[in-house]
Amino acid sequence: MDALLGQLDLLQDLALKAGDPDLAQDLNAMMARTLERYCATKRSRMEQQFHGRKHIA
């Protein structure tokens, strides 16, 4: 995940340096969606683990 976000950040910087703020903004939105989805998936897995342990105890 770190590598993916690092690559998107690099591409965003390159887009700004190339004078394409629209592309930079699109890449920023993509990073935000990626982080949201990653966090939602992580949270869901943690909740499933928690509920699984709760039933075992």
Side-chain angles (χ1 to χ4, degrees), residues 20-54:
D20 193 342
D22 291 334
L23 177 58
Q25 186 175 4
D26 289 346
L27 290 166
N28 187 43
M30 188 183 298
M31 285 194 331
R33 284 193 307 271
T34 301
L35 279 171
E36 286 173 7
R37 186 171 292 155
Y38 175 77
C39 290
T41 301
K42 208 56 162 164
R43 179 181 179 163
S44 177
R45 287 182 187 157
M46 291 175 72
E47 287 174 348
Q48 288 173 0
Q49 289 175 349
F50 174 74
H51 290 301
R53 289 185 188 138
K54 189 175 179 182

Side-chain angles (χ1 to χ4, degrees), residues 10-27:
L10 176 63
L11 289 171
Q12 184 182 16
D13 286 345
L14 290 172
L16 287 172
K17 288 178 183 175
D20 193 342
D22 291 334
L23 177 58
Q25 186 175 4
D26 289 346
L27 290 166

